[in-house]
Amino acid sequence: MPNAEFFLSYPKFKLAILALLTLNIGIYAAFDTMTTAVDALAWVILLVMFELETVKAAPFADSSLHAMRNVLIVVILLVFGSYIRDSEWLDVINSALWFVLIALLELEVRWPSMVARHHTGFWLMTIAVFSGLIGLVVAWLMQSAWLDAYDALLWIAAFGVIEVDIFRFLQLKRD
């Protein structure tokens, strides 16, 4: 379990982004639908789990982490299904893009040699996904869906500073 020293040494901008994402859960619960609140909650927990694993501070055994991750993925898929059912197409596209981004990350972690062999394609696909996510921010702004646009932009920032060294990630490395 992370101790006080861990949190004191943890970059404050990461904690601020996590705090804002956590606040969004409450905002969605109060002013939007419970579906979006549950979706936000599941993604925040998943993000925290990935971060704790990354910094080797996970308070649970690997088997427990995998079980919790599987439950969260089922919740996220159920929410995705509700977006489809309710014809919330921007949310469907947003979720699908995040699924692709997570799949790309999983490939990078589980099969780095395969990713290295196809680095340019992998990089271009990542850029395409991020472009789509940014496009969704613009679409929500055009619809005056301020909370959705803010939340989407915050998630892009969170991903950039918490899960990935965004500057390293966006560089096309030459072999």
Side-chain angles (χ1 to χ4, degrees), residues 63-102:
S63 60
S64 296
L65 286 172
H66 293 295
M68 289 174 17
R69 185 177 298 135
N70 290 340
V71 168
L72 291 169
I73 289 169
V74 167
V75 169
I76 289 167
L77 289 172
L78 288 171
V79 168
F80 179 70
S82 76
Y83 290 152
I84 293 171
R85 182 194 66 224
D86 297 338
S87 300
E88 296 175 18
W89 299 116
L90 290 179
D91 289 317
V92 169
I93 294 167
N94 185 57
S95 294
L97 287 170
W98 281 106
F99 294 156
V100 171
L101 195 57
I102 296 302

Side-chain angles (χ1 to χ4, degrees), residues 3 21-22 42 55 59 67 69 98 102 115 132 154 156:
N3 57 24
L21 288 171
T22 302
V55 298
R69 185 177 298 135
W98 281 106
I102 296 302
V115 171
L154 185 60
I156 293 167

Side-chain angles (χ1 to χ4, degrees), residues 120-136:
T120 302
F122 180 81
W123 180 82
L124 288 171
M125 195 168 192
T126 302
I127 295 300
V129 170
F130 270 110
S131 297
L133 291 170
I134 292 167
L136 285 170

